[in-house]
Amino acid sequence: MTASRPLADPRHSPNDDPFDIPFDLPAAPPRPGGIAARAAALARPDHAGQGRGVYLDGLNPEQRAAVEATDGPVLVLAGAGTGKTRVLTTRIAHILSLGLAWPSQILAVTFTNKAAREMKERIGAMVGEQVEGMPWLGTFHSIGVRMLRRHAELVGLRSGFTILDTDDQIRLLKQLLQADAIDEKRWPARLLANIIDGWKNRGLGPQQVPAGEGAAFANGRGQKLYAAYQARLKALNAVDFGDLLLESIRLLRENPDVLAEYHRRFRYILVDEYQDTNVAQYLWLRLLAAGSRNVCCVGDDDQSIYGWRGAEVDNILRFDSDFPGATVVRLERNYRSTGHILGAAAHLIAHNEGRLGKTLFSKGESGEKVTVTGAWDSQEEARAIGEEIEQLQRKDHALGQMAILVRASFQMREFEERFVTLGLNYRVIGGPRFYERAEIRDALAYLRVIASPTDDLAFERIVNVPKRGLGDAALRQIHDHARAAQLPLIEAARELAASEELKPKVRLTLRDLVGSFDRWRAQMTSLPQNELAEIVLDESGYTEMWQKDRSADAQGRLDNLKELVRSMETFENLIGFLEHISLVMDVDGGAGGDAVNIMTLHSAKGLEFDTVFLPGWEEGVFPNQRALDEQGRAGLEEERRLAYVGITRARRRAKVFFASNRRIHGLWQSAVPSRFLDELSEKDVEVTESRGGQGWGGGQSGRYGYGPSRFDEAQTFGSSYSTPGWQRAQNASRAGGAGASGGFSGGSFTDSRPSRFAASEKARGGGRLIEGELIARSSGPAARFAIGNRVFHQKFGYGEVVSVEGNKLTVQFDKAGEKKMVDSFVEAA
DNA sequence: ACCATTCACATTTTT
DNA sequence: TGTGAATGGT
């Protein structure tokens, strides 16, 4: 009913581009004298002729070549820090200025919303408001949605289809598994979701799944389940993320007329981070690019780090054969890092085989050498890094210009603990995203039910959240009735509540709930969506549920809800908001003060810092053992690329660390320094000792005790526990492995980090997504707490002060155990 | 329907 | 070790 109403797209307002209004458009290029020509005139300096705009000034010859090669396929191999985004954005400005295409005739695809935002901003800076006329600048997925909404019926959907997130996906699959009586222990829904995702990434529909693979899940039922899942999605008028591409491809393949329309439309296609594209994205691009053939892909094979989620480095390696006659431009002049950093990184990445090969160079100074520091264990590693940070801080280096890049998030904990003790400001970037938090999804589920009453998954999610006595039994009845009567869940619930079939108590609550939804829905048109949301959260008892919750992160969750409501303001209406949120579910965090950044190497891609700390360079951790076990040589190469990405994030200082002992899953394990350490060029590296730690290696032949050519023994990657390194490490651990524990350990971290989102303006600046911010304010004058005081800590929850020394407290937390910290981290409870 | 205990699990993450 | 999910008891 309501759901089939086409959705307005809140992101793009109509513009004066005459071609954007009717979708059918003439093939003729814009006439000179149009907007583009005017823009060109603006971009052109008065004294220069030949249509060369000011925007070209300051580009190096290769960059300029990449910008000016407008015709035919172009591959830009852009090494780290070589001005890739600049080329991309300038190229678009160039096309517009020359009047080669209208803004709406350019398809510019990125991977993340953030990248799309940045690109839009930078283009805007060059060409002004013309950028507003670029409706086809966005992520693969958002553009996919756009196409599907226009032609939904052609792929068996109605235009108002909903987009399921991973959570919905899994719940749906669970139902299918249950219906098929498949043991969820042996065959978890999560696994099936991943498998299906994998197929979709490779552009495979249920019918195209290779027989062997389809049989791999649940004794041969994988393929059947996939088909059932797709059927269920269609019935719900829903798609998952993978479908956005897969269905777009199907749309284009099965409807030549539609494809032809897009061919006429897209005169220029640009793709960012091409090394991260998966097969589906590649197929999609190839379909669209077959029109004008003016496709320009920018990427860096050395920075392909998402193979595990379907990215095909091959796409970039094969570009030349996919698009014969392609112009290939290499950007090798690095503007970011000093010579030593570049040298070390280049030497490392040279150990990879499957690469196109680039040699970065900089004309800048060689700067400080990359340091490699060994620590006894991970605590000392954290201590050493903390000290270095404080030293830099004393020399007036901004904390925000330092980053700790870890391989896996479990490594973060050590640093957080240390920094809390030191009173060092830090922020964790990445981690669970805003929209993944339970409270946000719950809130959204309420809104989804209001906006589209047929959204069964959303209804199911919140029938009993907060607890209102509608448990499994009640839900099953609703389900049964819904199936029998062919009704959406909420309508089934309505009928049940009116009948005598339920226990009086349940019947009343259910009637209440349905009534509430009716009431809210009636208010949808009369109230601004943010006010409505507030009312809903209030009247449903959802806010109250968290207010009553005494756990450490309850406050954070309430804050998140507030932030959600606040972020709704900028949208036209509820529908517009929901449409946006299903694809762009991130929120810009404010800058949040000066703080050290802690994040994974993956989330560091694309960023840069003056100083980069790279801890945990040990075999097994980095390169990650599992990557090695599961992916073999390919896994190792991807890990190496990850290392390369890490080092090249640094502008002036890259500081690598490893620990000889590390506690993994509670057990102390001795560790062998990472083979990647050996792969850093010696001339660019300085080996230092961690203060007080005997570190590792030192004077032996081969810097860390084993030959420089461990890489040659490629066959033994899997488990190299018999290598000399391991044996020596084991001896070392026997000599002194214990005793290093001490200090504080028992800290329990909840997975969701409480966060405070500073107020932020919509899509301003390079606003970073900052999550789980935990910033210490400078501590007040005198001791603010006394022994015995009850205090509250954002991460550890409630506790009692055990001792006070100046502004340092020891607190016994109810849940997290005893911690030492600076008093500014806690507040009176 | 809710709580407590037990059990398996333990990279990387976007849309 | 330590957490989240699932199961079983009240």
PDB file of all heavy atoms in Angstrom, chain A residues 351 420 560 731 750:
ATOM      1  N   HIS A 351      58.327  -6.863  -2.368  1.00  0.00           N
ATOM      2  CA  HIS A 351      58.303  -8.304  -2.163  1.00  0.00           C
ATOM      3  C   HIS A 351      57.038  -8.954  -2.702  1.00  0.00           C
ATOM      4  O   HIS A 351      56.919 -10.172  -2.710  1.00  0.00           O
ATOM      5  CB  HIS A 351      58.430  -8.630  -0.664  1.00  0.00           C
ATOM      6  CG  HIS A 351      59.800  -8.347  -0.126  1.00  0.00           C
ATOM      7  ND1 HIS A 351      60.218  -7.084   0.214  1.00  0.00           N
ATOM      8  CD2 HIS A 351      60.839  -9.169   0.117  1.00  0.00           C
ATOM      9  CE1 HIS A 351      61.465  -7.158   0.654  1.00  0.00           C
ATOM     10  NE2 HIS A 351      61.864  -8.407   0.603  1.00  0.00           N
ATOM     11  N   VAL A 420      44.300   5.885  29.297  1.00  0.00           N
ATOM     12  CA  VAL A 420      43.404   6.281  30.381  1.00  0.00           C
ATOM     13  C   VAL A 420      44.245   6.548  31.627  1.00  0.00           C
ATOM     14  O   VAL A 420      44.056   7.545  32.326  1.00  0.00           O
ATOM     15  CB  VAL A 420      42.352   5.188  30.654  1.00  0.00           C
ATOM     16  CG1 VAL A 420      41.659   5.431  31.980  1.00  0.00           C
ATOM     17  CG2 VAL A 420      41.337   5.152  29.534  1.00  0.00           C
ATOM     18  N   ASN A 560      23.232   8.736  21.714  1.00  0.00           N
ATOM     19  CA  ASN A 560      23.133   8.350  20.312  1.00  0.00           C
ATOM     20  C   ASN A 560      21.736   8.577  19.768  1.00  0.00           C
ATOM     21  O   ASN A 560      21.563   9.028  18.631  1.00  0.00           O
ATOM     22  CB  ASN A 560      23.506   6.873  20.139  1.00  0.00           C
ATOM     23  CG  ASN A 560      24.987   6.652  20.320  1.00  0.00           C
ATOM     24  OD1 ASN A 560      25.780   7.582  20.244  1.00  0.00           O
ATOM     25  ND2 ASN A 560      25.370   5.404  20.567  1.00  0.00           N
ATOM     26  N   ASN A 731      62.206 -20.413  23.656  1.00  0.00           N
ATOM     27  CA  ASN A 731      63.200 -20.459  24.726  1.00  0.00           C
ATOM     28  C   ASN A 731      63.134 -19.192  25.559  1.00  0.00           C
ATOM     29  O   ASN A 731      63.149 -19.219  26.779  1.00  0.00           O
ATOM     30  CB  ASN A 731      64.605 -20.608  24.141  1.00  0.00           C
ATOM     31  CG  ASN A 731      64.749 -21.954  23.441  1.00  0.00           C
ATOM     32  OD1 ASN A 731      64.022 -22.890  23.775  1.00  0.00           O
ATOM     33  ND2 ASN A 731      65.673 -22.038  22.514  1.00  0.00           N
ATOM     34  N   THR A 750      33.125  -3.208  27.100  1.00  0.00           N
ATOM     35  CA  THR A 750      31.958  -3.556  26.318  1.00  0.00           C
ATOM     36  C   THR A 750      32.293  -3.255  24.887  1.00  0.00           C
ATOM     37  O   THR A 750      33.107  -2.402  24.593  1.00  0.00           O
ATOM     38  CB  THR A 750      30.755  -2.698  26.732  1.00  0.00           C
ATOM     39  OG1 THR A 750      31.237  -1.414  27.081  1.00  0.00           O
ATOM     40  CG2 THR A 750      30.045  -3.319  27.885  1.00  0.00           C
TER      41      THR A 750
END
